[in-house]
Amino acid sequence: HLTLRNDGKSARRLSLLGVVEWVLGSSRERSRISTITEWDAAESVLLATNPLSLYPERCALFTTTLAVGSVSGDRGEIFGAAGSRARPASLGRVALSGRVGADLDPCGAIEVSLTIEPGETIDGAFVLGEAESPEAAHALARKYRDAASPKRALAEVQDAWRGVLGAVVVHTPDPAIDLLVN
């Protein structure tokens, strides 16, 4: 989730790039040759499947609550020949190629172009998930498309973990033990 606010006196243009590296198996190196990516423009969702994994019917998804500018499923396009995370090659481009499918070093990349007017605030989120089928992945993407849904889901998860982790609280004479146990 991100919130961007322009406190300046002029409009600001930004490009955001959300990137995930798919590991749809025991390791990225083992699963990368069999992972297949697909872009569904109508649903604004990038999907990834691995038909050679233990769960070939499962489907991963990557989407955003913001308007998508361009996408890529090719890790080489994003990071470049040297694979640098410090200076990704894709930051030097105006848009991503849209290349998806098999026979790529798979990743999920979504580029969003924004103009933020003075005093304007923009809320958005990148959403990563997985489901039991491509149809279920599409349903999840639709569920989390608006900016409020990811915030609600995060709050629900945080509340659930507070309930689990806060059920028993230990107080001892030693603060180090309290920290370790709690």
Side-chain angles (χ1 to χ4, degrees):
H1 176 257
L2 55 104
T3 300
L4 302 170
R5 186 177 72 231
N6 182 356
D7 290 333
K9 297 188 187 302
S10 60
R12 301 288 184 201
R13 293 183 333 142
L14 302 172
S15 285
L16 305 177
L17 185 64
V19 179
V20 297
E21 292 189 64
W22 305 116
V23 182
L24 304 180
S26 60
S27 72
R28 196 182 88 72
E29 286 306 311
R30 287 184 139 177
S31 65
R32 72 185 189 103
I33 58 172
S34 55
T35 297
I36 302 166
T37 56
E38 173 189 346
W39 171 244
D40 184 333
E43 296 278 345
S44 290
V45 62
L46 190 58
L47 303 171
T49 56
N50 182 352
L52 300 182
S53 75
L54 290 175
Y55 306 99
E57 67 285 352
R58 309 275 316 168
C59 183
L61 69 104
F62 188 48
T63 189
T64 181
T65 61
L66 302 165
V68 174
S70 59
V71 300
S72 178
D74 183 4
R75 186 177 181 276
E77 175 184 2
I78 303 307
F79 295 113
S84 171
R85 287 180 175 82
R87 193 181 262 287
S90 60
L91 294 181
R93 295 187 179 95
V94 174
L96 300 175
S97 68
R99 188 171 41 244
V100 293
D103 297 326
L104 300 172
D105 187 356
C107 77
I110 297 176
E111 177 270 329
V112 174
S113 295
L114 300 171
T115 300
I116 307 175
E117 297 299 328
E120 183 180 17
T121 299
I122 295 177
D123 275 325
F126 286 94
V127 178
L128 174 66
E130 75 80 42
E132 54 276 355
S133 68
E135 296 78 20
H138 279 95
L140 277 177
R142 284 189 295 275
K143 178 179 178 180
Y144 293 106
R145 180 142 308 122
D146 70 286
S149 292
K151 279 184 182 180
R152 274 194 308 274
L154 180 59
E156 290 170 7
V157 167
Q158 288 170 335
D159 287 345
W161 277 108
R162 275 190 211 95
V164 169
L165 299 175
V168 175
V169 178
V170 175
H171 296 286
T172 69
D174 187 348
I177 297 282
D178 294 352
L179 183 62
L180 180 67
V181 173
N182 295 326

